[in-house]
Amino acid sequence: MTVMATDEAVTAVRFGTSGDAVAPEEKLPPILARAVGELREYFAGVRRDFTLPLAPAGTPFQQQVWAALREIPYGETCTYGQIAARIGRPKACRAVGMANNRNPIAIVVPCHRVVGSSGALTGYAAGLSVKEALLRLEAEAR
């Protein structure tokens, strides 16, 4: 995974690596060290809530959607329609889906917890198998 941050906040968590990657043995800036630690705890099944300061770049609508995503409890899912209703835009299911797709802070802003109206797993930038694995990890750690 790649984690990006300013001195004050995490700006991105992405699957894959970046050309600016820091070797694990190098000393990380405090915010990155904290992010790596919290992500490790999440993958170990012991962290359910992230405490990282976040600064995702996006439109006001995207910010609303991403804030709503952070309210989905660990190990639970909701639909695009439920997110749309939560932000007061009940007909904006597709726009919620696009904001979900553009979420720059994977896992910490848990877009993997959003499913289709039938409960079926739908698109995920890292692939449906990753989405399924994240949901399984959360279900098993509950």
Side-chain angles (χ1 to χ4, degrees):
M1 298 198 79
T2 297
V3 180
M4 296 191 238
T6 64
D7 289 340
E8 295 85 30
V10 173
T11 58
V13 174
R14 297 188 178 122
F15 290 91
T17 58
S18 164
D20 297 332
V22 175
E25 59 276 358
E26 292 184 44
K27 183 160 175 52
L28 295 174
I31 189 70
L32 288 178
R34 184 173 161 196
V36 168
E38 288 196 15
L39 284 164
R40 282 188 177 141
E41 291 169 355
Y42 170 83
F43 284 113
V46 296
R47 175 164 295 278
R48 289 179 163 76
D49 296 303
F50 290 92
T51 62
L52 300 165
L54 304 178
T59 67
F61 178 80
Q62 289 170 330
Q63 298 287 343
Q64 264 191 306
V65 171
W66 300 334
L69 296 178
R70 294 198 70 205
E71 295 174 9
I72 305 169
Y74 180 92
E76 295 183 23
T77 60
C78 71
T79 67
Y80 297 98
Q82 289 170 322
I83 294 293
R86 282 185 194 171
I87 65 169
R89 305 273 305 271
K91 296 185 187 234
C93 299
R94 286 182 188 238
V96 165
M98 289 306 299
N100 216 37
N101 177 267
R102 291 195 168 85
N103 171 21
I105 306 179
I107 300 172
V108 179
V109 177
C111 56
H112 63 278
R113 295 180 188 154
V114 182
V115 297
S117 60
S118 68
L121 297 186
T122 56
Y124 191 64
L128 290 180
S129 63
V130 172
K131 183 173 188 166
E132 182 178 19
L134 293 171
L135 292 173
R136 187 173 45 251
L137 173 109
E138 292 183 11
E140 291 171 357
R142 283 188 87 189

